[in-house]
Structures are given as C-alpha cells and as structure tokens.
C-alpha cells in the first residue's frame, strides 16, 4: 500500500506505482487529501497517470497536529480492514509521518522513499517528519550517498539502508520525453511565455512558512523579487499558502507587472518552464533537484538544505534571506559566469526498478 498527501509526493509515487503494476504484486493507494485543490492534486494524478486512490481520507487543511492526528485515525480504520504486507511512505510531509506512526504501532513494515535527507534545522516541520519517519521505518531508500551517511551516523542498521537514487528524476526523465512528443500539453506555459513575448525569464516559487508566514519577511522577499523582475521578468506560480499571506498583508496590489503571478501549474508546464528558465529562485526541496538535473541555475531562498548534493555537484546555491547576495548571484547568472553542474550518481531514471528489487528482497 502507498500513502500520499501533498503535491511533492505525487511525482515520487508515479514511477514506483507503474513499476509495481508490471510485477506480480497487487497494490493499493491512499490519498490523505492534505492537498485537495484541483491544481495542487488532481492535475498531477491526471498527467502522471496515477489511478484514482482506493481510499481518499479528505483530511484537508489544519494545524500540523490536526492533519497528523486526523490522518492517523482515518488510516487505522482502513488498515484494520485491509492490512497490507508493506506500507510505502514518501518524502517528509505530515501525511508521511502520520502513516509511519500508525503502521509501526500496527507492526506493518514501512518502506520510506527519500529517506536520510537532513537539513539539520529542527524549526522546519519537514525535518521533524524526516527524523521520526526514518527512526522507525524498516526499509530506508535513500536518493544519494549523503542520505545513507546521515542514517549511519544516527545509528541505523546498515542492512536497512539502500541507496537507490532519486525517484523524482524517473518522473522527470519520462516527462521530458512526453513533452517533446506532445507540445500541445504545454498550453499554460506557452501562454505565459507568449505574454512575456518569449523573452528570457526567471522562474520562482515560494511557500515555506519561514519565508511567507510573517508579513515583514514576506514584504522583503517580494521587494527583492520585484526589483529583480525590473531587469528580467519573473514568473511565479503561486502556492495557496503564499496567496493567503499576500492577501492578508495587502502585498498583492503592490506587485509590478514584470513579476507575473500565476496560478499553480501542472507538472508538464512547470518542468518546461524550469528547463527553459534563465534561473530559478525557490524555497522548495524538489525544485533544487529538478533544476540540477536540468542544469538550470537555482538560487535557494533558505539558509540550509537537506539536499547538499545539489550544491556539491548540481546547479544549486543557498542565499537564505540575504537579498543583496541574491541580486549579486542573479547578475552572475545573467552574465553567464555561474557554475554549470555535473551528473549526480543514481539520478538516472531507473530508481523505481531498484526500489522494487529491494522491496521484493524484503517481502
Ligand atoms: C506541504 C508540506 C511541504 C511541501 C509542500 C508542497 C508539510 C509539513 N509540508 O506544505 O513539505 O513542500 O506541501 O506544496 O506537510 N492549501 C490549499 N489548497 C491545497 C493545499 C493547501 O488552499 O490544495 C492551503 C491550506 O489551506 C493551508 C496552506 O495551503 O493554508 C498550506 O497547506 P499545508 O498542507 O498545510 O502545507 P504546505 O505549506 O502546502
């Protein structure tokens, strides 16, 4: 059984679901409903050809405790009736932790896809979710060597750790092929590029509580993005959390026309814009990885990252909330003096195959 809840889970689920459907094993899918908007959820199921969930828990918004506790209660009921041989959890969202807690109490073996990542910042809810999930999961599937090393340092048994690579790259590799053969799938991104007359552009996403939940920090961030956009247009698909905060702080109406705020995009449109952007400014986790694979420069608006390989080998750098540094780095990129990035081991589109092998050895 797989469990997913929020947008970044869906691209991790898709390739493994497809791989398992080619095997002798049966599988079921639970969607907690942590992300419920059509643009945050349905469009990904459709584009990534993930079948309708067998169970939809309808958890929705709420405090972290509410999301976690509601998921636990609803999932326990399902597992009492429909007990899988293994639960597969993904990433670091609240749904991941909730499912892990229920399964370990019911003694259902847990496999964690994207195990071992650590930002070492316990103010991030995701860091707590990662540490707790990894401390009780049975099979820890890491995307890169640093993830395996983090787990070893925390005292995890070597036999539980499997370096399988980055499953999001499987989805990305497949999507690049689909996009190339079916340009009609890109209507939204092409519309945006038309609006900026196909000029070079910067792509940005922001949603981390540390950047958007305080009106002052939000204002500073949007001042910096507005200033940068006067030089090169910035396209910013808006996360619902950020939208709410911008509305409450009355910032939306002060944004210049060169900072193009648009609705959240589906997967294909977003990948296409990432591939062709001059650079990316983001506080997301997954986008640091995708941009490294695509070799698009990425400046991360955080003080730390749980994905250091994207800095070491990829195209990522951290700028935190130092917006002078941000502008300086953007100029380096615009002048084509930024690092180019290298291949990352095991980010090759074959992670789902390796994961299935590990799961079969452990069933
Ligand atoms: C969650 C994950 C984060 C991930 C992000 C990607 C946790 C702790 N955080 O953060 O790791 O990077 O998803 O998007 O699990 N909302 C909607 N419609 C939706 C979903 C959310 O309007 O479909 C609103 C909610 O009402 C809430 C806000 O967006 O106000 C935040 O949603 P929430 O699920 O709490 O966390 P994210 O910030 O999206």
């Amino acid at each position: 059984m797989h469990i997913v809840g929020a947008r970044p889970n869906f691209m991790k689920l898709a390739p493994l679901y497809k791989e398992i459907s080619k095997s002798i094993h049966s599988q079921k899918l639970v969607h907690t409903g942590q992300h419920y908007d059509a643009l945050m959820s349905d469009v990904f199921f459709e584009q990534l050809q993930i079948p309708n969930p067998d169970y939809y828990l309808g958890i929705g918004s709420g405090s972290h405790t509410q999301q976690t506790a509601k998921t636990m209660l609803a999932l326990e009921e399902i597992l009492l009736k429909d007990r899988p041989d293994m639960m597969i959890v993904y990433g670091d969202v609240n749904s991941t932790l909730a499912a892990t807690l229920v399964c370990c109490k019911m003694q259902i073996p847990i496999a964690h896809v994207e195990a071992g990542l650590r930002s070492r910042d316990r103010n991030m809810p995701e860091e707590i979710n990662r540490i707790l999930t990894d401390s009780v999961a049975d099979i820890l599937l890491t995307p890169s060597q640093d993830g395996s090393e983090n787990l070893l340092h925390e005292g995890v048994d070597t036999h539980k750790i499997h370096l399988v690579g980055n499953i999001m790259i499987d989805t990305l590799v497949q999507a690049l092929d689909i996009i190339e053969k079916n340009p009609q799938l890109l209507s939204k991104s092409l519309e945006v590029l038309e609006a900026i007359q196909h000029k070079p552009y910067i792509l940005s996403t922001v949603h981390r509580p540390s950047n958007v939940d305080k009106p002052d920090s939000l204002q500073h961030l949007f001042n910096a993005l507005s200033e940068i956009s006067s030089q090169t247009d910035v396209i910013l698909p808006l996360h619902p959390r950020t939208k709410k905060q911008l509305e409450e702080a009355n910032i939306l109406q002060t944004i210049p026309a060169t900072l193009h705020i648009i609705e959240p995009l589906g997967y294909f449109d977003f990948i296409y814009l990432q591939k062709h952007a001059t650079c990316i400014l983001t506080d997301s986790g997954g986008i640091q990885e995708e941009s490294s694979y695509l070799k698009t420069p990425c400046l991360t608006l955080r003080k730390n990252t749980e994905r250091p390989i994207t800095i070491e080998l990829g195209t990522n750098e951290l700028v935190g909330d130092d917006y002078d540094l941000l502008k300086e780095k953007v100029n380096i990129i615009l002048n084509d003096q930024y690092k180019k990035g290298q291949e990352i081991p095991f980010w090759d589109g074959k992670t789902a195959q390796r994961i299935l092998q590990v799961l079969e050895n452990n069933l």
Side-chain angles (χ1 to χ4, degrees):
M1 187 177 275
H2 312 253
I3 186 158
V4 289
R7 185 169 61 177
N9 289 160
F10 308 142
M11 32 294 227
K12 295 167 196 161
L13 162 74
L16 187 53
Y17 195 97
K18 204 181 278 172
E19 196 63 29
I20 294 177
S21 60
K22 292 189 263 171
S23 76
I24 57 163
H25 309 287
S26 59
Q27 55 187 335
K28 289 207 173 161
L29 174 60
V30 181
H31 185 335
T32 68
Q34 178 177 342
H35 283 180
Y36 46 86
D37 282 349
L39 295 178
M40 296 295 283
S41 177
D42 301 356
V43 63
F44 292 89
F45 272 68
E46 200 183 295
Q47 294 190 333
L48 302 176
Q49 295 182 320
I50 305 169
N52 286 334
D54 297 279
Y55 300 102
Y56 184 79
L57 309 184
I59 299 307
S61 309
S63 69
H64 288 268
T65 301
Q66 284 168 344
Q67 284 183 331
T68 311
K70 281 191 200 164
T71 304
M72 288 180 71
L73 290 172
L75 182 64
E76 186 186 48
E77 257 177 57
I78 291 171
L79 297 181
L80 285 170
K81 288 185 291 194
D82 192 353
R83 189 186 170 97
D85 295 306
M86 184 180 284
M87 179 66 90
I88 307 175
V89 302
Y90 294 84
D92 56 16
V93 302
N94 288 335
S95 306
T96 312
L97 173 63
T100 299
L101 290 174
V102 177
C103 290
C104 84
K105 292 199 181 272
M106 295 179 79
Q107 302 196 335
I108 295 171
I110 303 156
H112 183 204
V113 175
E114 201 185 81
L117 300 189
R118 297 289 180 269
S119 66
R120 302 193 166 73
D121 174 2
R122 291 199 178 198
N123 291 317
M124 280 179 81
E126 293 83 357
E127 181 75 354
I128 305 298
N129 293 345
R130 291 180 202 116
I131 294 170
L132 296 178
T133 299
D134 286 340
S135 70
V136 292
D138 303 276
I139 302 173
L140 298 161
L141 302 153
T142 64
S144 46
Q145 184 60 35
D146 56 286
S148 302
E149 281 163 18
N150 289 335
L151 295 171
L152 287 172
H153 287 147
E154 288 172 18
V156 175
D157 280 350
T158 322
H159 74 269
K160 287 186 173 179
I161 306 171
H162 306 271
L163 172 54
V164 288
N166 190 333
I167 195 152
M168 280 202 11
I169 303 301
D170 288 25
T171 308
L172 180 54
V173 169
Q174 287 166 25
L176 290 171
D177 188 47
I178 295 172
I179 293 171
E180 191 165 321
K181 293 182 184 140
N182 304 279
Q184 75 280 7
L185 293 170
L186 301 170
S187 56
K188 285 206 180 161
S189 46
L190 293 176
E191 218 174 88
V192 180
L193 295 183
E194 195 66 39
I196 60 164
Q197 294 156 349
H198 295 274
K199 285 187 300 212
Y201 63 91
I202 292 171
L203 181 66
S204 182
T205 75
V206 286
H207 76 278
R208 293 253 153 245
S210 56
N211 279 330
V212 308
D213 282 6
K214 288 199 203 98
D216 274 1
S217 323
L218 189 64
Q219 182 74 65
H220 284 135
L221 172 59
F222 273 79
N223 287 348
L225 293 175
S226 301
E227 203 179 310
I228 290 169
S229 77
S230 67
Q231 204 177 352
T232 304
D233 285 65
V234 175
I235 300 173
L236 192 148
L238 197 59
H239 190 284
R241 168 188 285 278
T242 316
K243 182 174 185 211
K244 194 162 140 229
Q245 303 295 347
L246 284 172
E247 281 166 355
E248 281 174 18
N250 292 320
I251 297 176
L252 267 182
Q253 57 272 32
T254 66
I255 289 173
T258 46
L259 174 49
H260 305 264
I261 305 269
I262 59 172
E263 286 192 318
L265 289 171
Y267 186 69
F268 294 136
D269 283 304
F270 193 74
I271 291 300
Y272 184 77
L273 287 185
Q274 272 199 81
K275 185 170 178 209
H276 295 284
T278 305
C279 85
I280 293 174
L281 313 179
T282 189
D283 60 7
S284 150
I287 296 172
Q288 297 171 51
E289 303 181 329
E290 289 167 345
S291 56
S292 276
Y293 183 84
L294 295 167
K295 305 243 164 42
T296 304
C298 177
L299 301 175
T300 295
L301 303 159
R302 288 173 43 190
K303 294 189 172 121
N304 49 55
T305 179
E306 58 290 331
R307 293 160 161 96
I309 195 100
T310 60
I311 298 179
E312 210 181 298
L313 296 180
T315 53
N316 187 25
E317 278 191 29
L318 298 179
V319 292
D321 56 3
D322 183 342
Y323 299 130
D324 289 331
L325 179 65
L326 172 67
K327 287 178 237 164
E328 202 179 293
K329 296 272 178 194
V330 167
N331 277 325
I332 292 176
I333 293 168
L334 294 177
N335 292 323
D336 203 17
Q337 287 164 343
Y338 192 73
K339 64 179 174 183
K340 299 293 174 220
Q342 308 163 36
E343 310 274 296
I344 301 179
F346 298 109
W347 292 25
D348 57 359
K350 296 188 180 130
T351 293
Q353 286 172 30
R354 287 188 285 266
I355 292 181
L356 180 57
Q357 191 81 60
V358 173
L359 300 186
E360 286 184 329
N361 293 341
N362 281 274
L363 269 171

